[in-house]
Amino acid sequence: MSLHEGDLIDGTRASELVSACRTTVGDQVRSVTYFTPDEFRQLYLRSDLDSDADLSGFVEHESLGFQANTAYRGSELGDYEYTIRVFENGFLCRITTADEGVFLTTDGLTLRDFDEVATAVGSILEEE
């Protein structure tokens, strides 16, 4: 898993993803990271946060989410939509398709906020 600064994601699409997160969640967004099974790129980091987080560890773990799209297929729970992780100082929300994903970290949010951001990001990811 490696950080990618170049053409991993088109600049317009990256801006759309950040805008979708910031529009639905506002100033509660801490960071936005786009990832594929092999690479990642942090698209946004709130100015009051340090940029020293080990993103490769986060991305490596969140990449397991690509399997969630098929692992739960046919379940009585319905189709997989997104994952929320709760931490002492915030939340992580992961939205994936079969081969790309976004995770955002946030301050406190409601379940409705997570639904809205997952819907907004998911619609952008599915455009391709």
Side-chain angles (χ1 to χ4, degrees):
M1 187 66 55
S2 64
L3 175 64
H4 195 282
E5 295 294 333
D7 59 353
L8 176 63
I9 181 172
D10 174 90
T12 301
R13 195 157 182 244
S15 294
E16 288 176 355
L17 288 167
V18 171
S19 179
C21 294
R22 300 263 305 142
T23 298
T24 56
V25 181
D27 292 337
Q28 300 296 320
V29 175
R30 297 169 65 96
S31 67
V32 178
T33 302
Y34 174 84
F35 63 101
T36 67
D38 301 315
E39 300 175 289
F40 67 93
R41 181 171 156 208
Q42 187 169 58
L43 306 178
Y44 171 80
L45 179 66
R46 198 169 66 195
S47 63
D48 64 325
L49 300 173
D50 293 328
S51 61
D52 62 351
D54 176 19
L55 283 179
S56 60
F58 273 79
V59 175
E60 185 175 327
H61 185 74
E62 295 309 323
S63 292
L64 299 174
F66 292 121
Q67 299 167 2
N69 288 308
T70 56
Y72 301 110
R73 189 169 294 153
S75 154
E76 291 180 7
L77 294 172
D79 292 335
Y80 169 79
E81 294 183 14
Y82 61 93
T83 297
I84 302 170
R85 299 191 191 286
V86 180
F87 296 88
E88 180 180 359
N89 296 318
F91 300 88
L92 181 144
C93 180
R94 177 190 70 215
I95 306 100
T96 58
T97 64
D99 57 0
E100 64 181 344
V102 169
F103 70 82
L104 62 143
T105 59
T106 70
D107 294 327
L109 294 179
T110 67
L111 187 54
R112 182 180 185 144
D113 293 328
F114 286 116
D115 283 340
E116 290 176 6
V117 75
T119 299
V121 168
S123 68
I124 294 168
L125 291 177
E126 292 172 0
E127 286 177 356
E128 243 179 52

